[in-house]
Amino acid sequence: MPVALTSAARVRGRNRQAEQRPLARLRLRQGGDAPEKGQPWGQKAKQALSDLCFGSEVTARIVTTDRYGRTVARIYQGSRDINAELVREGAVWVYRKYLTDASLLPIETEARAARRGLWSLPAHDHVPPWEWRRARAP
């Protein structure tokens, strides 16, 4: 599936095996939650995803459908796990509430220790996206 990006947490692409189908929209929340656009590191998270896979062929392994009907997937570029790469680069937080792959936790710990990506920000900017969204909910 060639991909385009709609945000750091969403990929869209066309299913090569069913060209007549519309573009698929996939959530990459399986394992990670990207900072929101208005949040520190939000645009850089989107750029990190773009740098990893924009315009390239990827494989989506569907994990589930979330409560809003969105497809949640793990994305691979060959054998490279894009979700794990985003965690490794410090572009996303490991989303513990829906975590099904505990192998992402030490990857995040390593990114924090190395102060990669969002972990290079001042400590007061280390607000998980789910907390940031909750604080801004009406």
Side-chain angles (χ1 to χ4, degrees), residues 44-91:
K44 291 182 180 183
K46 181 177 179 177
Q47 186 61 48
L49 178 59
S50 180
D51 291 346
L52 286 169
C53 64
F54 180 75
S56 61
E57 292 285 325
V58 298
T59 302
R61 294 196 183 143
I62 308 303
V63 176
T64 190
T65 301
D66 70 12
R67 64 184 175 161
Y68 303 108
R70 299 174 299 199
T71 302
V72 179
R74 199 79 179 237
I75 303 296
Y76 294 87
Q77 186 182 55
S79 62
R80 187 178 192 191
D81 180 343
I82 299 301
N83 302 58
E85 285 299 316
L86 289 168
V87 173
R88 184 172 286 108
E89 291 181 7

Side-chain angles (χ1 to χ4, degrees), residues 3 7 14-15 19 22 27 34 42 52 58-60 77 90 102 107 112 134 136:
V3 298
S7 78
R14 188 169 304 282
N15 183 339
E19 285 296 332
R27 305 257 330 144
L52 286 169
V58 298
T59 302
Q77 186 182 55
I107 296 171
R112 281 180 188 241
R134 189 177 328 122
R136 279 148 187 79

Side-chain angles (χ1 to χ4, degrees), residues 28-45:
L28 300 185
R29 190 162 284 166
Q30 176 57 29
D33 194 2
E36 297 293 330
K37 289 179 190 174
Q39 194 174 0
W41 214 265
Q43 279 304 116
K44 291 182 180 183

Side-chain angles (χ1 to χ4, degrees), residues 35 52 78 104 124:
L52 286 169
L104 295 172
H124 67 271

Side-chain angles (χ1 to χ4, degrees), residues 2-23:
V3 298
L5 308 175
T6 58
S7 78
R10 290 188 295 270
V11 170
R12 128 187 124 138
R14 188 169 304 282
N15 183 339
R16 289 249 185 236
Q17 293 157 347
E19 285 296 332
Q20 70 279 10
R21 293 170 105 188
L23 291 174

